[in-house]
Amino acid sequence: DQQVKQNSPSLSVQEGRISILNCDYTNSMFDYFLWYKKYPAEGPTFLISISSIKDKNEDGRFTVFLNKSAKHLSLHIVPSQPGDSAVYFCAGHSGNTPLVFGKGTRLSVIA
Amino acid sequence: DAGVIQSPRHEVTEMGQEVTLRCKPISGHDYLFWYRQTMMRGLELLIYFNNNVPIDDSGMPEDRFSAKMPNASFSTLKIQPSEPRDSAVYFCASSQSSTSRGYTFGSGTRLTVV
């Protein structure tokens, strides 16, 4: 049973445009959500997070939106750059439990 | 700080052989996690330790999998006997707490069982 779902395995976006990566979750106990970025042959690295008490968190070109009623979050990258091409993992957790990750979305930013 | 160090980076082995994956966490991190990445299941948690003690191994797929953490600076994940369906990338991560912000992942071990 996937508690965190990333239904789009891949996404292609032109350089300079907005990239929107989506994530749905089923566990209503999750109180913190994160996005990790993974390049080939490297481990995932933390990108941005959001607490369940907020609906938006912004860090430079990256913004995460949370819609608790829909159990949905999204990552916006504006403007997209070729260096953003990577696999993006959405994750959630509650209390002291470890992170639960989705399957990931591969983003390709085309120059 | 060298980060989380995993070895080997790549492992190719024949079905039925024993495989041992190794991890050195970041010094001072109390938590260590083993994750497996596959296309079908994404990043799934296998087991995690707190202060060298296994806390939850419910993600370990079968009895063929075992993990140990004999001290704060070393952990192993062993598969015996290995099977082709074990082929995946195995990640080790460490953290100062079990919560989100401090997870640092190693570069992973790509395991291929033929």
Side-chain angles (χ1 to χ4, degrees), chain A residues 2 32 34 36 38 41-44 46 89 93 95-103, chain B residues 9 31 33 35 37 39-43 45 48 91 98-101 103 105-107:
Chain A
Q2 285 265 313
Y32 216 85
L34 306 90
Y36 277 71
K38 183 187 176 307
E42 295 183 11
F46 171 76
F89 290 97
H93 82 94
N96 243 10
T97 62
L99 296 180
V100 178
F101 287 88
K103 293 183 180 181
Chain B
R9 289 297 306 271
Y31 286 84
F33 308 86
Y35 281 87
Q37 183 191 5
M39 290 294 291
M40 290 295 294
R41 302 178 68 86
L43 270 172
L45 178 68
Y48 78 100
F91 289 102
S98 68
T99 57
S100 54
R101 303 154 190 79
Y103 280 44
F105 282 82
S107 298

Side-chain angles (χ1 to χ4, degrees), chain A residues 40-97:
Chain A
E42 295 183 11
T45 56
F46 171 76
L47 183 60
I48 192 170
S49 62
I50 187 167
S51 165
S52 62
I53 63 173
K54 298 192 173 183
D55 55 17
K56 177 182 175 181
N57 187 29
E58 191 171 353
D59 183 2
R61 297 186 296 112
F62 302 91
T63 303
V64 56
F65 295 92
L66 175 62
N67 182 334
K68 280 190 69 176
S69 61
K71 292 192 175 70
H72 177 83
L73 62 155
S74 61
L75 174 67
H76 293 211
I77 306 174
V78 184
S80 301
Q81 299 174 354
D84 297 329
S85 297
V87 177
Y88 290 80
F89 290 97
C90 173
H93 82 94
S94 60
N96 243 10
T97 62

